[in-house]
Amino acid sequence: MTRFVALLACALALLASSMASAAIVEHSFHVQNLTVRRLCNEQVITAVNGSLPGPTIRAREGDILVVHVYNKSPYNITIHWHGIFQKLSGWADGPEYVTQCPIVPGNSYTYKFKITGQEGTLWWHAHVSWLRATVHGALIIHPKSGHSYPFPKPDKEVPILFGEWWNANVVDVENQGLATGGAPNNSDAFTINGKPGDLYSCSQNQIYKLKVVEGKTYMLRIINAALNNQLFFKIANHKLTVVAIDASYTEQYVTDVVVVAPGQTTDVLVTADQPVGSYYMAATPYASAANVSFDNTTTRAIIVYEGSTSANPLMPVLPASNDTLTAHKFYSNLTGLAGGPHWVPVPRQVDEHMFITFGINLQRCGSNVTGNTTCQGPLNQRLSASMNNVSFVLPSTSKLSMLQAFFYDVGGVYTTDFPNKPPVKFDYTNPNISSDESLIYAPKATKVKTLKYNSTVEIVLQNTAFVGIENHPIHVHGFNFHVLAQGFGNYDSVNDQGKFNFVNPQTRNTIAVPVGGWAVIRFQANNPGIWLVHCHLDVHLPWGLAMAFEVEDGPTISSILPPPPADLPQC
């Protein structure tokens, strides 16, 4: 792409001017080994600033966030600011080999970006290997000074981070799965704010406790930082009022159960309106894939009322792990707060229509670096994954990240021929295609879809029955999107369009596409750069369940991607 020096100078001047008027929130992240004791074992993990979860970042809409990352760990590292738009700051988005090369051990990098047009609960996490299992934390964006929530201000706000724990080095767990071609080992526990809770061995004192006062209202900022599991969440005898998801306000929705997919956030109001006592809050997996093993355990924490003498907290009745009806009811009943802070109406004129099928695939066992001739996946092959029959590969052997190749107009790093639809039409959710060898092998490639600046994109996300049927959380970097509709089975372009919500659809950055079903999303591509789209189950990204958008520069100085920072890590 051609960039004129004068335009770049103007763009940089404009960016510098906007940043000069904003408050700066500055943090230092020291990423290094930490020895912790969980589930009767001592385990060395990678952590930020010696804590699990890592530090909570608090800022206001309009602030500039500056985070100095010092990599003192033995692994490459990058940090992704999950859900941040990164308007004209795509260099700070974080996914390795996509927007930057990794920060190698012993090196550092400073992320700097402005938080624009967003408020609510987001989070940050490592975007290399499985390191986000322990390298993550909350990113809370408050309204600008003088602005308020579109609901009564709660008496207290509390981050609640769900995590997933292995009695092993998570990098080794991932590498073993990739080496054998089979599924990696399941986790050993779930956690709430880094603590497993008293249902696990040696964990009676490793339980998070939240002290509350009768009559007060609390906002729980729930973040699912688990790697591979969606989670049901309940509090015994208490109602939850959903007021925001993925840092976008919702119509208030009262429920007794919340479902959160990996990558998603949900803000709920809870009033301490029960008799003084103690009550468990608990999270347990929503596992939609039949006949697939998973960590079928429950983590719990305790809400303790001031003045309580109860030694036996009440426990909520949790849904069954395969309760898809409860999960779908929650996901599909949420609506956006039309006209609320930062509300964006649904764009009605669509420029790009895409139909993207996705799911688990197989790769021939011999086509891997280990040279194995027998693998532990189905049909003795290697587990893989794809979107529109393209299994995405990060350009890890390139000397440039994808965003650098975009900026400098360098070929050979990726191609721009990601298809708008699958190569063949088939009965996408029919279980009989699970092992159809004419369909389940997908070629490996690094392909993107090119979008014109400000174009409106509508995508039908269609789950498939390849290998197994499950609910997949799909995360789009760089954008929020409207969820127009979702349902089960194959998407019907004639009848399902009548279900579209153009008035107050929920707005997200991560959508849990129903098991054996579909979702339709729409967004405006108003942010130049390279933006990853992928399944937020970490087991699926290295298998290839991803693609990327290449959004072209716009026509004005305020719509051109600026040059990379001087200290951007090199490959």
Side-chain angles (χ1 to χ4, degrees):
M1 80 209 68
T2 301
R3 285 178 168 80
F4 296 101
V5 173
L7 283 178
L8 281 179
C10 291
L12 287 172
L14 184 68
L15 187 63
S17 173
S18 69
M19 287 195 167
S21 62
I24 295 177
V25 177
E26 194 164 7
H27 287 262
S28 292
F29 280 10
H30 297 273
V31 185
Q32 57 195 34
N33 285 349
L34 175 69
T35 301
V36 296
R37 186 168 184 83
R38 294 285 188 276
L39 277 61
C40 315
N41 298 296
E42 283 198 345
Q43 182 64 47
V44 177
I45 65 172
T46 304
V48 173
N49 296 356
S51 66
L52 177 66
T56 295
I57 293 178
R58 291 180 173 85
R60 292 189 180 275
E61 196 267 323
D63 285 351
I64 295 167
L65 186 57
V66 178
V67 182
H68 309 285
V69 178
Y70 302 93
N71 187 7
K72 304 174 184 178
S73 81
Y75 305 109
N76 290 347
I77 196 74
T78 67
I79 302 295
H80 171 50
W81 315 93
H82 189 109
I84 292 289
F85 295 150
Q86 300 292 1
K87 283 286 184 68
L88 301 182
S89 57
W91 303 105
D93 191 44
E96 66 167 341
Y97 303 114
V98 178
T99 60
Q100 69 169 96
C101 297
I103 310 167
V104 299
N107 284 22
S108 63
Y109 176 52
T110 296
Y111 292 91
K112 183 177 182 179
F113 54 89
K114 187 172 183 178
I115 301 169
T116 304
Q118 295 181 272
E119 60 187 69
T121 304
L122 296 174
W123 62 303
W124 57 265
H125 61 80
H127 215 295
V128 173
S129 182
W130 277 24
L131 289 175
R132 78 171 174 89
T134 53
V135 178
H136 62 254
L139 172 51
I140 296 171
I141 308 168
H142 293 282
K144 285 184 176 180
S145 295
H147 294 239
S148 60
Y149 297 131
F151 48 82
K153 183 179 179 180
D155 295 289
K156 186 176 181 180
E157 301 177 13
V158 183
I160 299 291
L161 284 84
F162 301 147
E164 201 164 357
W165 178 264
W166 279 260
N167 283 329
N169 181 314
V170 292
V171 175
D172 293 342
V173 173
E174 180 191 17
N175 288 341
Q176 181 183 16
L178 293 174
T180 63
N185 291 337
N186 293 324
S187 55
D188 295 291
F190 298 103
T191 60
I192 296 176
N193 288 351
K195 299 182 178 182
D198 56 2
L199 289 176
Y200 297 98
S201 300
C202 306
S203 301
Q204 288 299 311
N205 297 320
Q206 291 188 349
I207 186 168
Y208 174 73
K209 294 183 180 180
L210 174 61
K211 295 181 179 180
V212 301
V213 177
E214 186 179 11
K216 301 285 188 182
T217 296
Y218 300 80
M219 179 156 68
L220 305 185
R221 295 181 176 271
I222 302 169
I223 300 166
N224 188 351
L227 260 62
N228 297 318
N229 285 276
Q230 302 191 46
L231 293 164
F232 290 114
F233 174 75
K234 294 185 73 172
I235 302 175
N237 289 11
H238 288 72
K239 292 291 186 181
L240 311 171
T241 301
V242 178
V243 293
I245 53 174
D246 290 2
S248 295
Y249 292 115
T250 64
E251 295 282 356
Q252 294 190 20
Y253 176 65
V254 180
T255 179
D256 68 343
V257 60
V258 164
V259 195
V260 194
Q264 292 182 336
T265 71
T266 303
D267 294 348
V268 299
L269 300 178
V270 181
T271 299
D273 57 3
Q274 294 301 299
V276 171
S278 56
Y279 302 83
Y280 280 116
M281 62 171 87
T284 197
Y286 165 48
S288 59
N291 303 315
V292 175
S293 68
F294 64 99
D295 178 357
N296 191 14
T297 64
T298 298
T299 179
R300 60 187 187 182
I302 304 176
I303 289 181
V304 182
Y305 279 63
E306 183 179 72
S308 171
T309 58
S310 170
N312 298 301
L314 294 178
M315 179 67 180
V317 177
L318 294 166
S321 60
N322 62 349
D323 191 347
T324 289
L325 290 180
T326 293
H328 186 68
K329 177 184 176 181
F330 176 82
Y331 283 138
S332 60
N333 277 353
L334 299 173
T335 52
L337 186 61
H342 309 294
W343 168 255
V344 176
V346 181
R348 300 304 294 266
Q349 180 66 42
V350 177
D351 303 298
E352 293 276 1
H353 288 272
M354 300 183 71
F355 187 96
I356 300 181
T357 57
F358 59 90
I360 307 304
N361 292 83
L362 296 181
Q363 180 186 3
R364 299 290 179 188
C365 190
S367 55
N368 65 85
V369 294
T370 64
N372 289 349
T373 56
T374 301
C375 293
Q376 295 180 10
L379 307 179
N380 293 322
Q381 303 297 339
R382 170 174 296 278
L383 285 168
S384 182
S386 71
M387 289 181 142
N388 277 356
N389 201 49
V390 179
S391 186
F392 186 81
V393 179
L394 290 169
S396 58
T397 59
S398 171
K399 296 298 182 183
L400 297 174
S401 69
M402 295 175 70
L403 189 57
Q404 286 174 306
F406 166 80
F407 184 84
Y408 294 113
D409 197 17
V410 175
V413 178
Y414 61 85
T415 61
T416 57
D417 54 344
F418 183 85
N420 280 349
K421 59 184 180 180
V424 295
K425 188 175 182 180
F426 56 96
D427 189 0
Y428 308 113
T429 56
N430 186 339
N432 292 329
I433 70 168
S434 175
S435 299
D436 186 338
E437 294 199 65
S438 69
L439 294 171
I440 60 176
Y441 293 97
K444 298 284 184 180
T446 308
K447 295 179 183 286
V448 308
K449 164 68 177 178
T450 300
L451 300 174
K452 291 192 177 300
Y453 180 80
N454 254 358
S455 61
T456 296
V457 186
E458 181 178 290
I459 307 174
V460 177
L461 294 167
Q462 176 68 65
N463 245 318
T464 64
F466 293 157
V467 181
I469 308 175
E470 65 180 314
N471 183 305
H472 288 93
I474 303 297
H475 173 46
V476 179
H477 288 232
F479 304 97
N480 278 352
F481 50 78
H482 294 100
V483 182
L484 300 184
Q486 51 189 308
F488 296 103
N490 297 336
Y491 174 73
D492 183 334
S493 61
V494 175
N495 296 313
D496 287 334
Q497 287 191 25
K499 303 172 184 176
F500 285 10
N501 178 359
F502 292 113
V503 178
N504 62 347
Q506 58 183 274
T507 303
R508 283 198 175 273
N509 61 60
T510 305
I511 170 73
V513 182
V515 53
W518 52 269
V520 180
I521 66 173
R522 190 180 291 186
F523 68 95
Q524 189 171 29
N526 56 3
N527 198 3
I530 299 289
W531 305 106
L532 189 64
V533 178
H534 64 99
C535 181
H536 218 271
L537 302 177
D538 266 26
V539 68
H540 291 168
L541 179 55
W543 289 350
L545 211 163
M547 56 84 67
F549 287 116
E550 176 193 72
V551 181
E552 296 176 340
D553 283 329
T556 65
I557 58 175
S558 60
S559 59
I560 295 175
L561 179 70
D567 63 339
L568 186 74
Q570 301 300 307
C571 292

